[in-house]
Each structure stands twice: as C-alpha cells, then as structure tokens.
C-alpha cells in the first residue's frame, strides 16, 4: 500500500495512472446519471404536495452535498499542503476549486427554480441560502487568489490558508436549519433515518453517487492539466507530448 501511495506522489506516474482511470469514471458516472434521471423524472410518481416540481431536487440535493463534500476534501488537502507541502495535494486543491464552485452555483440555481413555485420567490435571505452563497464567494475568492500570485507554490499555500479559514462556513450551512428559524426545510435524510419514500430515495442516492464519480473524473482531468503546466519544462512532459 505504501508503495502505491509513494508512486502516486510522483507526477509522471500519477499523470499516466489518471489517464487510464478517467474513461472508466466518466462512463460510470454517465450511466448512473442516466439511470437516476430516468428513475427521478419518469418512474417516480409526483409528490403528493409538490407535484412534479419536486423532481428538480434530484439535481439540487446531490449538487448541494457535493458543494460541501468538495470543500471538506479541499480542507484536508490544505492541511497536507501546509504540513507536508506535497505538490500533488497543491494540484488537487487548486483543481477542485472550480468544480466546487460549479456545484455550488448549480445548487443555488436549482434551488431558485424550485423556490419560485414553492415559495413564490426566486430568492430569500434565508440562513441556508445565504451561507451557501457565501460558500460560492469563498470558492471564487480561492480561485482569484491563486491567479493573483505568480509563484504556484506560494499561491497554493495561500489558497490552503484561505480554504482553512473558510471551512467555518461548512457547519453553518449544515446546521443552519437547526440553529435558526429558516424557510428552508430541514434534512429529509440522515444517517439513521429517512422521511423519503424508498422509490424516491433510490434515484436520489444514485444521482449523488454519479455526481461523486463525475467529480473524480473531472478533478483528475484538471489535475493532469495542472501537472503539465507546472512540469512543462521537465523532460518527461516533453516525452509525453511527443508520444
């Protein structure tokens, strides 16, 4: 196992290993998304209160979970960057940021589409919505900070510090519906219970898994590009490009 981890710490080895893994992750996520969409849009009956409008939650909820999951993964990578200064942890951090921002933006957009018919408005300054919007700004701030510093190693460490500072927003998002009297509904799915019918829950979980695998494929693609840029003057990169 330690030999595998040691090899994955090598940029050339990781670059070639990721190239083999990306197609498998991409096709798997595509098939799972297709199955989840068929189940959520066609097979699942309309909700007894929300009608067909609830179906957008099959995108909104998994996207919201991913916006938090990716940030937590970035926070873990930030600790590795600051303590051990591993280059691949830096690459993972900066490569994950645009993906996390995209999932957060999708969360807010899908939530607005759901909120208009259900709440009668596209947006309210609800604690859950506002804290999720702040998360989007944090993602964008990390991206801007990385672009503002010329040295990539220095920029990565600065992004790691900002990521750890912004991690305080994650528990606020998660517990906002419990700490404040919010318009946003509470959690329908917890570790030990669920208020969602099984026929509706299965497509939701499948879509969540599809989003996670999709993230794995895209972050590997972005990491490969970032590695090529950082190692562009290396002989192994020239060999890869020529072959």
């Amino acid at each position: 196992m330690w030999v595998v981890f040691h090899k994955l710490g090598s940029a050339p080895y990781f670059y070639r290993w990721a190239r083999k893994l990306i197609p498998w992750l991409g096709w798997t996520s595509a098939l799972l998304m297709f199955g989840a969409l068929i189940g959520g849009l066609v097979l699942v009956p309309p909700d007894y209160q929300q009608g067909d409008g609830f179906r957008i939650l099959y995108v909104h909820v998994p996207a919201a979970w991913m916006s938090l999951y990716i940030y937590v993964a970035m926070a873990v990578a930030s600790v590795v960057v600051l303590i051990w200064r591993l280059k691949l942890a830096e690459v993972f951090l900066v490569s994950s940021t645009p993906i996390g921002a995209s999932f957060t933006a999708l969360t807010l957009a899908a939530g607005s589409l759901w909120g208009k018919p259900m709440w009668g408005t596209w947006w309210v300054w609800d604690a859950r919505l506002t804290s999720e919007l702040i998360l989007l700004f944090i993602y964008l701030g990390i991206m801007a900070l990385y672009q503002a510093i010329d040295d990539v190693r220095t920029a990565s460490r600065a992004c790691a510090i900002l990521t750890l500072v912004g991690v305080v927003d994650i528990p606020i998002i998660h517990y906002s519906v419990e700490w404040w009297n919010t318009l946003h509904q509470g959690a329908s799915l917890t570790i030990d219970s669920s208020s969602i019918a099984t026929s509706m829950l299965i497509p939701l979980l499948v879509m969540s898994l599809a989003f996670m695998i999709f993230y794995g494929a895209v972050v590997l693609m972005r990491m490969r590009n970032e590695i090529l840029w950082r190692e562009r003057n290396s002989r192994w990169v020239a060999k890869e490009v020529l072959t």
Side-chain angles (χ1 to χ4, degrees):
M1 180 180 295
W2 290 112
V3 174
V4 173
F5 282 128
H6 178 73
K7 288 184 177 180
L8 289 178
S10 167
Y13 182 86
F14 179 87
Y15 183 85
R16 300 184 186 102
W17 172 81
R19 179 174 55 194
K20 298 176 181 179
L21 187 59
I22 288 171
W24 291 96
L25 295 177
W27 282 110
T28 302
S29 65
L31 292 174
L32 289 174
M33 284 185 192
F34 179 76
L37 288 174
I38 293 297
L41 300 180
V42 179
L43 302 180
V44 171
D47 184 76
Y48 76 101
Q49 288 181 322
Q50 304 178 30
D52 287 321
F54 91 100
R55 299 184 191 278
I56 199 171
L57 297 181
Y58 286 110
V59 174
H60 172 69
V61 173
W65 289 345
M66 289 303 302
S67 70
L68 304 181
Y69 167 77
I70 293 174
Y71 199 92
V72 171
M74 289 171 53
V76 174
S78 297
V79 174
V80 176
V81 168
L82 295 176
I83 297 178
W84 291 286
R85 298 189 177 185
L86 295 182
K87 290 184 179 180
L88 281 182
E90 297 176 4
V91 172
F92 175 81
L93 173 61
V94 300
S95 300
S96 293
T97 307
I99 309 172
S102 300
F103 274 114
T104 307
L106 178 60
T107 300
L108 295 170
S112 295
L113 292 175
W114 178 84
K116 179 59 176 177
M118 302 303 164
W119 295 344
T121 181
W122 298 101
W123 179 266
V124 292
W125 291 102
D126 178 88
R128 171 64 64 83
L129 276 65
T130 303
S131 55
E132 186 76 13
L133 179 62
I134 292 174
L135 180 63
L136 177 60
F137 290 153
I138 295 174
Y139 274 122
L140 296 178
I142 297 171
M143 293 168 59
L145 180 61
Y146 184 68
Q147 295 297 325
I149 302 175
D150 292 333
D151 183 72
V152 292
R153 301 300 304 274
T154 303
S156 298
R157 289 193 290 272
C159 290
I161 295 173
L162 180 56
T163 299
L164 292 178
V165 171
V167 79
V168 68
D169 192 43
I170 302 302
I172 293 176
I173 295 173
H174 182 73
Y175 293 107
S176 58
V177 294
E178 300 177 14
W179 291 346
W180 295 285
N181 183 21
T182 66
L183 185 61
H184 195 285
Q185 70 186 60
S188 300
L189 179 64
T190 60
I191 296 178
D192 56 352
S193 65
S194 172
S195 60
I196 307 175
T198 302
S199 61
M200 296 181 176
L201 177 61
I202 291 177
L204 180 65
L205 296 179
V206 172
M207 181 62 80
S208 301
L209 179 60
F211 275 15
M212 292 186 68
I213 298 176
F214 173 78
Y215 162 64
V218 176
V219 77
L220 288 179
M221 293 172 62
R222 293 190 59 85
M223 289 179 70
R224 277 166 51 87
N225 292 336
E226 182 70 19
I227 288 172
L228 281 182
W229 172 252
R230 293 191 178 204
E231 303 284 329
R232 59 189 180 278
N233 296 321
S234 302
R235 286 184 296 178
W236 75 266
V237 171
K239 183 179 179 181
E240 286 288 336
V241 172
L242 291 177
T243 57

